[in-house]
Amino acid sequence: MEFPFDTIAAAELDRLQTLHAPLTRAIRELIDAAVHTDADEATVREAHTAIEAAAGALGRSRRNGSRTLRQAETGLPVAWGNPVVGTRNPIAPPVLIEHENGHCWSEFDLGGAYEGPPGLVHGGICALILDHVLGEVVSEGLNKPYFTGTLTCRYLRGTPLGRLRVEADVERTEGVKAFARGTLSDADGVTVEAEGVFIMPAWARENR
């Protein structure tokens, strides 16, 4: 059965994006500041009190369940809470993905909040980003429903924090399966290679 997404009109989507995007950016900056701060005890305690107050204010009215909606005019999903591209998720870098003829790419920055080994991106974050971007390319920008079946990553070397590029291509499709390949790179070349198999869920197959 297809997921029962609530719908949202384009005008209301634009209004909420305009309202919440600055908040998300501010929280993203807060996360980075929390990772890197060397503030004194009084400053940390003051910030702690202020952050708890803000969390309490935002938490007084909340929507439980999935944060994914469907745009009324296009039918496309609006993945506000997605940890890679979600515009209302401050842990998302975010990765803004470009599409063209079965190929997609993005350039983005990863800072200290994504660190694993010193100075390097956590390997799980690399896999997370590649999983999402491979899924984006096989789904033609989320126009078709595909779920990850398998994802295989080959780590060629450590991925440095900073400016990175991710790319993905559709390799082929076989029935309800789509196969994709992708890479994560820094200025010196590829750091991680990935290949994935994505499966169209049963509820979507009769309409394909």
Side-chain angles (χ1 to χ4, degrees), residues 130 134 137 167-172 179-183 194-196:
L130 283 161
L134 267 64
V137 77
E167 300 184 62
D169 294 275
V170 177
E171 188 177 42
R172 68 186 190 279
F179 299 77
R181 292 181 180 272
T183 59
E195 56 184 44

Side-chain angles (χ1 to χ4, degrees), residues 111-123:
Y114 305 96
E115 187 176 51
L120 301 176
V121 180
H122 191 292

Side-chain angles (χ1 to χ4, degrees), residues 82-121:
N82 186 283
V84 178
V85 298
T87 57
R88 285 178 61 175
N89 188 342
I91 70 170
V95 176
L96 304 177
I97 301 173
E98 304 285 346
H99 289 264
E100 184 177 7
N101 299 325
H103 175 73
C104 69
W105 72 94
S106 179
E107 293 187 353
F108 55 95
D109 292 281
L110 293 181
Y114 305 96
E115 187 176 51
L120 301 176
V121 180

Side-chain angles (χ1 to χ4, degrees), residues 23-29 31 86-93 114:
L23 172 65
T24 304
R25 285 195 298 271
I27 299 173
R28 192 174 289 125
E29 291 170 2
I31 292 171
T87 57
R88 285 178 61 175
N89 188 342
I91 70 170
Y114 305 96

Side-chain angles (χ1 to χ4, degrees), residues 87-184:
T87 57
R88 285 178 61 175
N89 188 342
I91 70 170
V95 176
L96 304 177
I97 301 173
E98 304 285 346
H99 289 264
E100 184 177 7
N101 299 325
H103 175 73
C104 69
W105 72 94
S106 179
E107 293 187 353
F108 55 95
D109 292 281
L110 293 181
Y114 305 96
E115 187 176 51
L120 301 176
V121 180
H122 191 292
I125 298 297
C126 298
L128 172 69
I129 291 170
L130 283 161
D131 177 45
H132 182 89
V133 176
L134 267 64
E136 279 257 2
V137 77
V138 300
S139 68
E140 299 176 7
L142 304 182
N143 278 285
K144 298 178 179 179
Y146 279 99
F147 294 164
T148 308
T150 61
L151 179 72
T152 303
C153 294
R154 181 171 177 240
Y155 295 83
L156 306 182
R157 57 187 173 87
T159 301
L161 295 173
R163 194 69 171 172
L164 299 171
R165 180 179 176 91
V166 65
E167 300 184 62
D169 294 275
V170 177
E171 188 177 42
R172 68 186 190 279
T173 58
E174 295 179 1
V176 298
K177 295 182 179 180
F179 299 77
R181 292 181 180 272
T183 59
L184 184 65

